Amino acid sequence: MPAIRVHFLKLGIVRAYILEAPEASILVDSGYPGTDLGAAIAAQAPGCPPFTAAILTHAHADHFGGFPGFMGSR
């Protein structure tokens, strides 16, 4: 069974997470609107495989707000 690494992304006062498997990554939450997830990922989880899914845990802006910008950068 392949190992899964967990990256904790510091996005100001909130956190997002990356679940990294050998060939794919999953984003868990995305921070506030305007959050630069691309920069956070490059700095805090460089080299992670492409994202195949995202999990937004609930409908509070600090959990889903950065997702549209993240999708626009892909």
Side-chain angles (χ1 to χ4, degrees), residues 5 17-21 24-29 49-55:
R5 294 178 59 196
Y17 308 91
I18 296 173
L19 306 177
E20 178 188 339
S25 297
I26 297 172
L27 176 68
V28 180
D29 288 336
F51 290 89
T52 58
I55 299 168

Side-chain angles (χ1 to χ4, degrees), residues 21-47:
E23 297 181 12
S25 297
I26 297 172
L27 176 68
V28 180
D29 288 336
S30 62
Y32 283 106
T35 297
D36 189 348
L37 277 175
I41 292 166
Q44 299 174 52

Side-chain angles (χ1 to χ4, degrees), residues 53-71:
I55 299 168
L56 304 175
T57 59
H58 61 281
H60 287 163
D62 60 325
H63 292 265
F64 75 83
F67 192 69
F70 174 73
M71 290 303 298

